[in-house]
Amino acid sequence: MIDFLKSIGIAQPTGTGWLTVVFTFLVAWVITWRFIPSVRRFALKVGWADEPNARRLNKEPLPNAGGLAIYAGVVAAMIVATALNPILIQQVQIQVLAILLGGSILVLVGFIDDQFSLPPVFRLVVQFLVALLLVAVGIRFDTAFGTALDPFLGTFLTVLWVMGITNAINLMDGVDGLAGGISYITAMSLLAVSAQDPRWAAATLVLAAMSGAALGFLRHNFHPSKIIMGDAGAYFFGYVLAATALLGSLKVTTVFSLVPTALFLLLPIFDTARVIVRRLLRRQNPMSTPGKDHIHHILLARGLSQRRTTLVLWVLTLAFNILAMIVQPSVSLAVVVTSALGTTALLAFTVWRKLRAVWREERQLEGQIPSA
């Protein structure tokens, strides 16, 4: 067992550091999973729900406060991690607090937008400011093109990256389980990479909490969904994934230096870029123009069900993330295989539990309806 743990990058298998990471994941998973039913009931009671319309797939009011449960799961897990290993937390405290502070602000803005619809410009300004927060604590691209504009270019790329990923995850949230699954798969892959280097301890802890919360959320969000994450959850996932992907020695010397990092989130990046270009060519505002022109809309239009659409895009996301891990110099084949198998197994278990519950409800309903 010790040899296996060493082969996947755990330098001290007999220590408590990796156990803290595992426990952080489990706490976020369980708290999010168990907390969501209460959030759902309260959201329906007070009217925190998306009403059916021409753009949405739901046929009845669907609670949109899932992001609050996700946030609660992550924060609770980080508090537990602090109690279990305070020395480790102190070493990465500034970066962890910056990521959680920026994420907290976006959860608040996203939640208000879910209920009252904020102007797009206001949301972009807030995203810009929380991206600068990361730059202020050293979470940024480090450009080295040999010009006096390198610091400015690094800041520009960082802000563009954070705002782009934050909105890309939000735009992918159009089918049950899609954005949550993409976030879970990406967080698990980034976790596998960050665990290889103790300098990335901040990313490791936050990603453990993020992936656990995403998995707990998917138990209720896979089709047929009982609740959605809303802008609050999508912004939180996007921002934290963008921030943690930047942790580490990311020195940009050519445009191609961005490729290894972008591979982790290639699907939402490609989908968002494609939609923006198409809308601009039609002389439409890409930020405020509604439409069914995302990849998941295309798959649905070709006859795929919501479940199959989600599963197809999950597989694509996993494939891109496997490729992203392979091109990382610090990641061995054992880490790639273990991460891919572990990610898939936990996701399959969650989907099976969800479908089993759905089938049980259907049988109970059939038993209550007398045959003709």
Side-chain angles (χ1 to χ4, degrees), residues 127-155:
Q127 292 170 16
F128 175 77
L129 293 175
V130 294
L132 288 181
L133 173 64
L134 298 179
V135 175
V137 297
I139 304 175
R140 55 175 295 163
F141 284 112
D142 181 15
T143 57
F145 289 98
T147 71
L149 295 176
D150 280 351
F152 172 80
L153 182 59
T155 299

Side-chain angles (χ1 to χ4, degrees), residues 23-45:
F23 199 69
T24 300
F25 172 89
L26 293 175
V27 169
W29 183 7
V30 172
I31 287 181
T32 305
W33 165 45
R34 300 297 295 176
F35 188 43
I36 281 180
S38 299
V39 173
R40 181 179 183 274
R41 288 192 295 270
F42 184 78
L44 285 173
K45 182 178 180 180

Side-chain angles (χ1 to χ4, degrees), residues 159-175:
V159 170
L160 181 64
W161 168 262
V162 173
M163 294 180 66
I165 297 302
T166 300
N167 286 289
I169 295 296
N170 187 41
L171 292 173
M172 294 296 290
D173 189 23
V175 178

